[in-house]
């Protein structure tokens, strides 16, 4: 996605500024989500020592 919109730089001055803001905001978002994933992975790896292996497969519910 980032590569696609960065190719539009140079089309129009106001569009250029919008693309730069979008790029900055998306980079921040991606960084935060990567940090969240890493934190969740650390929590899951530590939880094995406390509660054992956790099965995350989704169970079928009769009302689903």
């Amino acid at each position: 996605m980032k590569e696609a919109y960065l190719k539009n730089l140079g089309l129009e001055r106001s569009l250029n500024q919008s693309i730069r803001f979008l790029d900055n905001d998306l980079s921040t978002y991606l960084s935060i989500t990567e940090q969240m994933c890493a934190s969740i992975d650390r929590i899951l790896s530590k939880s094995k020592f406390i509660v054992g292996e956790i099965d995350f497969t989704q169970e079928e519910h009769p009302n689903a």
Side-chain angles (χ1 to χ4, degrees), residues 22-42:
L22 175 62
D23 187 49
N24 186 32
D25 291 345
L26 186 57
S27 294
T28 301
Y29 170 78
L30 291 172
S31 174
I32 290 170
T33 54
E34 287 173 0
Q35 291 173 11
M36 288 177 9
C37 287
S39 293
I40 291 169
D41 288 341
R42 283 193 302 273

Side-chain angles (χ1 to χ4, degrees), residues 1-55:
M1 181 175 147
K2 287 181 68 163
E3 292 174 11
Y5 68 72
L6 287 174
K7 289 179 183 176
N8 292 317
L9 279 172
L11 293 177
E12 187 179 319
R13 179 177 286 174
S14 60
L15 181 60
N16 288 345
Q17 189 62 32
S18 297
I19 289 172
R20 287 187 183 102
F21 285 140
L22 175 62
D23 187 49
N24 186 32
D25 291 345
L26 186 57
S27 294
T28 301
Y29 170 78
L30 291 172
S31 174
I32 290 170
T33 54
E34 287 173 0
Q35 291 173 11
M36 288 177 9
C37 287
S39 293
I40 291 169
D41 288 341
R42 283 193 302 273
I43 290 168
L44 291 175
S45 68
K46 290 178 182 180
S47 71
K48 292 177 186 175
F49 298 110
I50 298 170
V51 295
E53 193 70 32
I54 301 172
D55 182 15

